[in-house]
Amino acid sequence: MSNLDLAEKILDHTAPCKPMELYVFMDPMNPTCWDLQSIIRKLQIEYGHYFSMRVVLSTQLSALNTTVKSSDMSEGNLEHPALPSVAIKAAELQGKRAGNRFLYKLQEHLFLQSRNVTSYDVLLEIAQEAELDHAEFKDDFHSVHSAKAFQCDLRITREMEITEVPSIVFFNECIEDEGVKVSGLYSYDVYLTILQEMLGKDRLYRQSPPSLDDLFTKYQTMATHEVASIYNISEQTAERELKKQVLQQKLERIPLQDETLWKVK
């Protein structure tokens, strides 16, 4: 597995020119992949000027062999483990940000609200919450383009010998160099160390976090612990600042069983 192979087979010409490229392999139904999202967000905020990133869906193939419970799409009662991944690819057709918003919303519904995200009806709800063009999303969901994009992700997963999710493969700008594959979930510092070593720098320039207003422009929904991590403050301090935003009617608080979310009003 080399950068040359990657460039020939799956080069994304729309990616910004940065010295590093990260391929993030995840199964949207895997709770460990949900945990990785917070780490990725912090890494993008602090060191995103060094790398571009592509999310590759690596849904377990065994799950895709599950029998479809219903094939009557007109009644909106189709359920299948592959549908969330196809829906994410449909969302990505409206742009990378739209795809990321949809992915995060989907995981939110699954892991924090225990919703059945394999249901077509629920996926339509999520698309609306993610502020996608609803008619376009429905058309793209049924189109061959979304299915082919998902199949492409599965092919990349096989070609790059990804056997565990989440996994991140780090590539530098030298196409002759092998990528560095990190399988499983690790602490933020581990990913930062790998990034620094592959860039060959003694020290990386850390960008300061944006204001809360700008942060919630970029990520419309965030958990208390994410905000605390990004600003390197305690969760108590983060909650106090977020409550001020609620009083100013900028955010709304969404209390859940195991987490508190804050959402742009």
Side-chain angles (χ1 to χ4, degrees):
M1 178 183 65
S2 69
N3 277 25
L4 182 59
D5 294 329
L6 181 68
E8 290 174 345
K9 295 179 182 178
I10 54 177
L11 178 63
D12 182 358
H13 294 282
T14 64
C17 184
K18 297 183 180 181
M20 294 289 298
E21 186 164 21
L22 274 56
Y23 274 66
V24 180
F25 294 83
M26 64 168 60
D27 179 348
M29 309 289 282
N30 184 308
T32 310
C33 293
W34 164 250
D35 293 335
L36 178 66
Q37 291 279 35
S38 298
I39 294 173
I40 291 293
R41 283 182 167 185
K42 183 175 172 67
L43 198 63
Q44 284 180 310
I45 287 169
E46 295 187 338
Y47 299 101
H49 49 293
Y50 288 111
F51 67 90
S52 58
M53 188 183 79
R54 176 175 176 177
V55 173
V56 182
L57 301 181
S58 306
T59 306
Q60 294 296 313
L61 293 175
S62 58
L64 301 185
N65 294 324
T66 305
T67 304
V68 179
K69 294 182 180 179
S70 170
S71 59
D72 190 354
M73 183 69 79
S74 63
E75 294 183 9
N77 57 356
L78 180 68
E79 294 183 16
H80 191 276
L83 294 191
S85 295
V86 174
I88 292 165
K89 304 315 287 187
E92 287 178 354
L93 291 174
Q94 295 189 34
K96 190 172 182 179
R97 281 191 177 183
N100 288 337
R101 277 201 317 272
F102 183 87
L103 170 60
Y104 192 84
K105 279 287 178 189
L106 185 148
Q107 292 178 309
E108 213 176 89
H109 276 251
L110 174 62
F111 299 117
L112 300 182
Q113 301 179 37
S114 301
R115 300 289 304 281
N116 177 17
V117 298
T118 67
S119 161
Y120 178 67
D121 276 354
V122 173
L123 292 170
L124 291 180
E125 284 183 42
I126 295 170
Q128 198 158 11
E129 279 193 34
E131 299 180 353
L132 302 185
D133 182 304
H134 210 246
E136 187 179 340
F137 174 78
K138 289 175 74 173
D139 288 344
D140 289 336
F141 184 91
H142 296 290
S143 76
V144 67
H145 303 295
S146 298
K148 283 187 174 180
F150 178 39
Q151 290 169 358
C152 178
D153 277 11
L154 295 178
R155 185 172 68 251
I156 294 169
T157 301
R158 290 193 303 271
E159 289 177 353
M160 297 181 68
E161 300 176 354
I162 302 299
T163 57
E164 181 181 356
V165 290
S167 288
I168 300 181
V169 182
F170 293 75
F171 291 102
N172 62 27
E173 56 191 348
C174 182
I175 62 173
E176 285 81 15
D177 288 351
E178 289 283 331
V180 172
K181 180 164 61 178
V182 183
S183 300
L185 180 68
Y186 294 89
S187 69
Y188 177 82
D189 289 341
V190 169
Y191 299 109
L192 180 56
T193 298
I194 294 169
L195 187 67
Q196 182 173 339
E197 288 179 353
M198 291 199 69
L199 285 166
K201 296 180 179 292
D202 295 330
R203 183 179 179 183
L204 299 184
Y205 169 71
R206 175 181 171 273
Q207 294 183 134
S208 299
S211 67
L212 269 176
D213 287 344
D214 290 342
L215 182 66
F216 276 89
T217 298
K218 185 175 179 64
Y219 305 116
Q220 295 185 334
T221 305
M222 299 201 73
T224 307
H225 73 87
E226 289 184 291
V227 175
S229 174
I230 286 167
Y231 292 104
N232 294 311
I233 56 179
S234 68
E235 289 194 27
Q236 291 80 6
T237 302
E239 184 161 354
R240 187 164 59 247
E241 294 302 315
L242 290 162
K243 284 179 177 177
K244 291 179 185 177
Q245 298 281 308
V246 173
L247 290 173
Q248 295 170 18
Q249 298 189 338
K250 293 180 178 180
L251 301 177
E252 61 177 302
R253 185 174 183 266
I254 306 173
L256 299 171
Q257 184 175 353
D258 300 319
E259 185 61 271
T260 298
L261 297 181
W262 309 83
K263 180 183 177 184
V264 173
K265 244 185 172 178

